[in-house]
Amino acid sequence: MDDAFELLDPRNAQAFLKQFSAEARRKGEACFRRGAVQDVVPEEPGVAYSAVVKDGDHYEVDLEYDPAEGWSGSCSCPLGSDCEHIVAAMRALLAEHSRAAVRSLSTGGPSASASLAAARSRPAASDAGELVRRLLAARKRPLKAEEKKFLGKVRTVYERCCQAGRITHWDFEEMGLRLGGYGWDALQIWPTLPENDYLFWLYVANAAQQRQVQIPEFMQPITDLSAIQNRLARWERERQIQRWKEKLGSLHLPSAPPADGQALTDLRVLVEEKEICLQWLRPGQTTFDTIKHAQLRQFAANY
Ligand SMILES: [Zn+2]
């Protein structure tokens, strides 16, 4: 993602526009359409831009992206904020972004934003850009080219997994994580398909860690596996219970109810400090006795 007009989170930019009043949006749209927005300049590619809007007077608009707050804008007109000039500038920026995404697609380069733009047309991949937001918040500086490239790959693989409903060795390969083993067989690394790309990354990182595969250094600060540990523990427990159910379900124990007139024998296990013993309460008795070896053999033979 080397294009200065590719936004890191275009989805949030769309949401930002929806917050304006209907009037500001209508006027801003008209402003944009008559070509009033001039000089859109990337101050910090992907996250900060300035523009000049010619609407009677010349107004200067600043658009900025904050990982936690999303997009925001300010204007030099008397209103200062929530005005049509900000709408017009953002519309122009999004138009630039779309052109940049198309450029990057046509050159075949993987790009975080191109994938994000593609994600908008797909309902399966929700909450696009959570991973980017987290990384930006942790880094407090623009992302390097290699970091953007890696994020783009994770994003692409996440979207593919959402469509396929599973993850394979190949998917790990594509992210540069060689788990050993090839093929299209699905790997069981999550209880359910992660709802955003950040959770997706955590499950991927967890699977890599379990196989002693290193994740990129720059991903370490946002790779807090405690966020998924509870889910994983619950999942593991459910799987164990399922395995036991299957095991016990395949056992065929003869269980005949006691015949009429036959008395019941109670059994109990006594756990002491140094030993455990099996005791029984025979018909007619009032106390439990420890079963002797010979008695146990007889008992087992009878039942
Ligand atoms: Zn304004």
Side-chain angles (χ1 to χ4, degrees):
M1 182 171 124
D2 300 309
D3 202 303
F5 285 103
E6 277 201 77
L7 305 182
L8 273 176
D9 197 350
R11 208 182 223 219
N12 183 266
Q14 302 274 9
F16 167 70
L17 281 178
K18 289 199 181 116
Q19 292 166 2
F20 286 78
S21 69
E23 199 197 350
R25 273 187 294 180
R26 189 178 48 76
K27 283 186 179 170
E29 183 68 26
C31 207
F32 164 67
R33 287 193 182 279
R34 69 170 178 266
V37 185
Q38 303 166 350
D39 298 335
V40 183
V41 177
E43 303 292 340
E44 200 182 299
V47 291
Y49 297 83
S50 67
V52 173
V53 181
K54 198 173 168 238
D55 183 26
D57 217 331
H58 282 78
Y59 300 114
E60 222 170 275
V61 173
D62 287 308
L63 296 167
E64 228 176 305
Y65 178 72
D66 177 85
E69 307 288 324
W71 285 95
S72 63
S74 61
C75 180
S76 63
C77 78
L79 221 51
S81 61
D82 302 322
C83 61
E84 61 264 36
H85 312 119
I86 298 175
V87 173
M90 183 52 102
R91 280 289 283 111
L93 183 56
L94 277 167
E96 287 291 348
H97 164 78
S98 299
R99 278 194 285 275
V102 170
R103 275 198 295 275
S104 118
L105 277 179
S106 59
T107 54
S111 132
S113 274
S115 323
L116 282 170
R120 274 180 302 192
S121 59
R122 266 177 240 149
S126 58
D127 201 6
E130 179 65 17
L131 190 59
V132 169
R133 260 197 292 283
R134 298 244 180 188
L135 195 61
L136 276 173
R139 320 244 7 118
K140 297 188 175 70
R141 61 155 177 79
L143 302 176
K144 291 180 189 165
E146 54 160 312
E147 296 170 344
K148 289 176 188 169
K149 199 173 164 198
F150 183 78
L151 290 176
K153 277 186 184 160
V154 173
R155 185 74 218 170
T156 305
V157 173
Y158 170 54
E159 274 157 23
R160 198 168 55 222
C161 291
C162 281
Q163 285 184 333
R166 65 202 196 122
I167 189 166
T168 67
H169 280 101
W170 289 115
D171 294 317
F172 277 85
E173 287 277 314
E174 190 167 337
M175 292 181 281
L177 304 168
R178 181 156 293 182
L179 297 189
Y182 290 91
W184 301 104
D185 287 344
L187 287 155
Q188 305 292 323
I189 68 164
W190 52 53
T192 52
L193 206 62
E195 55 265 39
N196 64 43
D197 59 355
Y198 175 62
L199 284 172
F200 169 76
W201 166 250
L202 292 183
Y203 285 117
V204 165
N206 181 63
Q209 199 180 61
Q210 283 174 344
R211 293 160 178 84
Q212 275 88 43
V213 173
Q214 288 287 318
I215 61 166
E217 185 77 30
F218 62 85
M219 294 299 282
Q220 292 285 2
I222 58 157
T223 307
D224 177 13
L225 296 182
S226 66
I228 56 165
Q229 244 133 37
N230 280 344
R231 291 190 197 202
L232 281 172
R234 252 200 324 272
W235 183 43
E236 181 51 34
R237 188 165 177 273
E238 279 162 17
R239 287 204 295 179
Q240 274 187 15
I241 290 172
Q242 195 52 41
R243 278 198 289 273
W244 275 104
K245 274 185 180 164
E246 280 161 17
K247 263 187 206 168
L248 294 174
S250 63
L251 280 180
H252 299 289
L253 295 173
S255 57
D260 282 346
Q262 192 178 346
L264 288 169
T265 298
D266 275 337
L267 289 172
R268 77 177 182 188
V269 174
L270 186 66
V271 182
E272 286 178 307
E273 207 175 323
K274 288 189 176 151
E275 58 179 2
I276 296 173
C277 44
L278 184 61
Q279 299 191 324
W280 65 354
L281 178 64
R282 279 174 292 177
Q285 303 284 318
T286 52
T287 54
F288 279 89
D289 294 317
T290 298
I291 306 179
K292 297 187 179 77
H293 282 284
Q295 289 172 326
L296 185 60
R297 264 199 300 278
Q298 187 61 49
F299 189 77
N302 288 351
Y303 294 94

